[in-house]
Amino acid sequence: MRIVIAEDSVLLRDGLTRLLTAEGHEVTGLATADELVAALGPEAELPEIVVTDVRMPPTHTDEGLRAALHLRSLHPELPILVLSQYVEQRYARELFAGRVRGLGYLLKDRVADVEDFLEALGRVAGGGTVIDPEVVAQLLVRSERSGLDSLSPREREVLALMAEGRSNSAIAERLFVSLAAVEKHVTSILTKLDLPPDDDQHRRVLAVLRWLGHQ
């Protein structure tokens, strides 16, 4: 798999490059958001996935996120995994405000768990959606007085896993319950939150995030 990494920290960029190269991937490392945008212009040969930091030179605010949004406007199908040092709710909501296929948002601490990181990378590259559990948790806490208090503790667990982009079967496996139980919880959640049921996992994630973002 061809991967482009945009990260101004030499240690992290080189560490990711070594890790992914050892896994058999072809990696190109870039130090700035401007380099990322220049490398993946309208006529560029696209990689299978882009991994980029949120905060990059010169201002270290949101250059990486802006680059990601720009690239998605040029190449709507380009998978992008965004890394962040902290939970930045505004940036997470902005990133997922449009098409969510092939998008991910992870905290950098998650990279320390190699298996989790590689799983997330593969899921996003394959068109899936990945949202860091800590981001989901903070959004849920922020919104708990705006309707989520009607959910049972188990439904809140299921909702958090839904927002991470997990399928019903994956949720059942994670919670050690039956698939039928998860389907029942999902139906109840969507009913309580006034969100119409949908079989498309990506639209389901988008609906949850939009609901949370308007609280």
Side-chain angles (χ1 to χ4, degrees):
M1 185 163 63
R2 290 176 298 113
I3 303 170
V4 170
I5 298 174
E7 168 60 59
D8 64 303
S9 168
V10 176
L11 288 176
L12 181 55
R13 187 174 68 248
D14 286 354
L16 287 175
T17 298
R18 290 173 182 270
L19 168 66
L20 296 171
T21 300
E23 292 290 323
H25 302 301
E26 178 185 335
V27 181
T28 299
L30 304 172
T32 71
D34 287 344
E35 290 180 5
L36 175 60
V37 170
L40 299 179
E43 305 301 323
E45 180 181 355
L46 299 180
E48 271 71 36
I49 188 170
V50 169
V51 180
T52 181
D53 192 2
V54 169
R55 301 188 176 194
M56 298 185 71
T59 68
H60 292 279
T61 54
D62 61 356
E63 282 88 348
L65 177 71
R66 295 296 160 205
L69 293 173
H70 173 70
L71 290 177
R72 288 283 287 198
S73 70
L74 289 179
H75 313 292
E77 302 298 326
L78 176 64
I80 298 179
L81 176 59
V82 173
L83 300 179
S84 179
Q85 187 67 43
Y86 310 103
V87 176
E88 301 181 88
Q89 297 176 9
R90 177 171 64 86
Y91 293 155
R93 287 195 299 270
E94 187 169 358
L95 181 66
F96 290 95
R99 183 178 175 82
V100 300
R101 282 188 60 87
L103 273 183
Y105 186 103
L106 285 183
L107 296 184
K108 288 185 177 180
D109 287 348
R110 204 69 56 189
V111 177
D113 189 320
V114 173
E115 289 188 6
D116 280 357
F117 174 69
L118 292 176
E119 179 189 0
L121 189 76
R123 200 189 317 170
V124 174
T129 306
V130 173
I131 307 171
D132 196 282
E134 184 61 26
V135 175
V136 175
Q138 291 204 21
L139 288 171
L140 291 175
V141 169
R142 183 179 176 211
S143 303
E144 64 183 355
R145 296 182 179 177
S146 300
L148 282 173
D149 52 351
S150 67
L151 303 183
S152 69
R154 177 61 85 184
E155 287 170 347
R156 290 171 64 87
E157 287 183 284
V158 172
L159 176 59
L161 293 171
M162 283 170 57
E164 289 177 33
R166 298 185 183 275
S167 66
N168 286 353
S169 59
I171 293 172
E173 182 177 349
R174 174 65 68 90
L175 298 180
F176 302 103
V177 298
S178 69
L179 179 59
V182 172
E183 292 172 345
K184 181 178 178 180
H185 288 314
V186 170
T187 299
S188 177
I189 290 166
L190 294 173
T191 298
K192 289 180 179 180
L193 300 185
D194 196 26
L195 295 171
D198 196 296
D199 291 333
D200 185 332
Q201 184 74 6
H202 305 292
R203 289 183 62 193
R204 200 166 63 162
V205 172
L206 180 59
V208 172
L209 287 174
R210 283 183 173 173
W211 186 88
L212 293 172
H214 282 86
Q215 305 314 304

